[in-house]
Amino acid sequence: MRRPAQPALARRLERYETLVDLLGALAAARRTEDVIGAVHEQANRLFGATITLYAAQQPDGHWRVRLHEGRSVQDTTAISNPEGLLERVLQGRVELIGDVAAYIREQGATARRLNRNAPPTRAWMGVPVRVRGETVGVLSLQSYEVNRFTPEDLEFLRLLGTHVALAVENTRLRERLEREASTDDLTGLLNRRAFRAHREEALRRADVGGAPLTLLLLRVDGMRDLSQYGLSIGDDALARVAERLRAHLTPHAQAYRLTRSEFAVIADLPEPQARVVAHALTADLNAQRWSSAPLRAHVGVAVWSSGQDADDWYVAADQDARRQE
């Protein structure tokens, strides 16, 4: 007769079964945010953790932080601190803390309080995340309960950290390839492919949320005449147009290059504000001194109406631009 599994063995088997499920989710993740979300979904089952934090170190030493606490998600920036727990993980000084308050008091460490509305963290684990030998971040699991984590938990978190590193590397590669496929090489703006995808997504959000959504369509006349003086002159002019376009972008607005002489902006703006931006951009471009041949800019504006077809929305902006010619 088969003997029943001991509690410790049963717990370990359950963990490995959970890990197998988690690895499938990590493999399917398309963004780093998806990786951390997948870890958090299983963090309580694996470790009894209520908080999952991933901190990616930036070139200036500060941290870009993704924090899952219960069902809430927070993205924030944390200032670098030599005595912070994240920094101590990178220095190899700490990985497991049973009583965070006592550790801070005795060791002179600094714990960042990122969510002021939640109880303070009582137990803490953190491991570095390394991609191809480069430390790119810290994965931390936390609990409101003192001494919640064990050395065995830490050993398992180290194993999980290795898989998270592989998932982060894969998502970074996907993001880079998608960015390259969606970016215009000459101007650095997003291209027509990205415009079509983002337009559909923006329309879905506006349809649900009811927020204003405006399309600005920039037409630049004279590009063909300018190009006859040489491709470099035409390319320089396009780069300048893109530069001036970026200068007029408002928050929550995204610019695209659609054709050699046509650009678009999708913005969360009501029509009066969009008209102000369009007027300022037109005046700016038409005041520029262009080499060899003059260019003229026209900016059409179209506010999306619920139920309106995406192509009709584009046509409305195009017609508005043509009326200004």
Side-chain angles (χ1 to χ4, degrees):
M1 182 174 179
R2 187 177 180 182
R3 296 178 59 188
Q6 297 299 316
L9 178 58
R11 171 64 174 152
R12 179 162 290 202
L13 289 174
E14 180 186 3
R15 277 188 161 181
Y16 278 105
E17 289 173 357
T18 303
L19 180 60
V20 169
D21 293 339
L22 177 55
L23 294 184
L26 295 182
R30 301 192 64 83
R31 302 176 304 162
T32 300
E33 292 83 353
D34 300 331
V35 172
I36 309 310
V39 171
H40 183 66
E41 284 184 9
Q42 301 295 343
N44 190 269
R45 184 177 169 188
L46 285 167
F47 305 99
T50 50
I51 302 168
T52 303
L53 179 148
Y54 177 73
Q57 196 166 37
Q58 304 303 291
D60 60 5
H62 299 325
W63 302 90
R64 187 175 72 248
V65 178
R66 179 80 167 184
L67 176 69
H68 288 257
E69 192 156 3
R71 294 189 176 183
S72 69
V73 182
Q74 180 182 353
D75 290 301
T76 187
T77 299
I79 304 301
S80 178
N81 184 327
E83 294 304 324
L85 297 184
L86 298 175
E87 288 78 6
R88 288 188 172 215
V89 169
L90 297 189
Q91 297 160 11
R93 297 167 65 187
V94 67
E95 285 184 305
L96 174 63
I97 304 174
D99 186 336
V100 173
Y103 179 84
I104 291 171
R105 185 171 58 251
E106 295 166 5
Q107 301 295 326
T110 301
R112 300 170 174 89
R113 187 80 182 275
L114 299 178
N115 187 352
R116 300 284 178 179
N117 298 320
T121 294
R122 301 297 186 188
W124 193 96
M125 290 192 298
V127 295
V129 175
R130 296 187 176 95
V131 173
R132 297 184 180 274
E134 175 194 359
T135 301
V136 298
V138 171
L139 175 66
S140 170
L141 296 179
Q142 305 168 29
S143 172
Y144 303 136
E145 180 184 344
V146 174
N147 295 320
R148 184 65 184 83
F149 307 124
T150 67
E152 182 181 333
D153 290 330
L154 177 59
E155 178 185 344
F156 208 81
L157 180 61
R158 291 183 185 132
L159 174 63
L160 178 58
T162 301
H163 291 289
V164 166
L166 293 173
V168 168
E169 181 179 20
N170 288 337
T171 59
R172 289 170 69 178
L173 176 60
R174 282 195 184 104
E175 289 169 353
R176 180 172 65 81
L177 292 175
E178 289 177 359
R179 185 167 56 251
E180 290 175 354
S182 301
T183 302
D184 175 60
D185 292 338
L186 179 60
T187 63
L189 298 177
L190 293 175
N191 60 22
R192 191 180 189 90
R193 174 178 177 269
F195 170 72
R196 288 174 172 169
H198 294 179
R199 178 181 63 177
E200 298 300 327
E201 178 59 30
L203 293 181
R204 282 193 292 271
R205 289 198 311 269
D207 196 30
V208 173
L213 186 65
T214 303
L215 175 63
L216 287 78
L217 194 65
L218 166 63
R219 299 173 60 85
V220 182
D221 296 334
M223 285 303 307
R224 183 173 300 178
D225 294 334
L226 191 62
S227 296
Q228 68 180 329
Y229 296 97
L231 286 176
S232 62
I233 292 178
D235 289 351
D236 289 345
L238 284 169
R240 271 178 66 192
V241 170
E243 176 190 350
R244 299 317 308 153
L245 178 55
R246 287 192 190 92
H248 290 273
L249 287 182
T250 60
H252 310 297
Q254 182 64 65
Y256 308 82
R257 181 186 174 196
L258 305 185
T259 67
R260 184 162 182 80
S261 59
E262 189 174 76
F263 301 78
V265 175
I266 297 176
D268 297 342
L269 289 175
E271 184 171 3
Q273 290 178 248
R275 292 285 179 189
V276 170
V277 173
H279 177 77
L281 175 59
T282 302
D284 184 352
L285 290 174
N286 288 339
Q288 298 289 319
R289 306 185 97 184
W290 305 98
S291 301
S292 305
L295 299 180
R296 295 297 298 174
H298 310 281
V299 181
V301 175
V303 178
W304 179 74
S305 300
S306 181
Q308 186 179 31
D309 179 82
D311 290 335
D312 291 339
W313 188 38
Y314 169 86
V315 169
D318 181 59
Q319 291 175 341
D320 190 55
R322 292 181 185 279
R323 281 195 289 268
Q324 301 170 34
E325 295 178 358

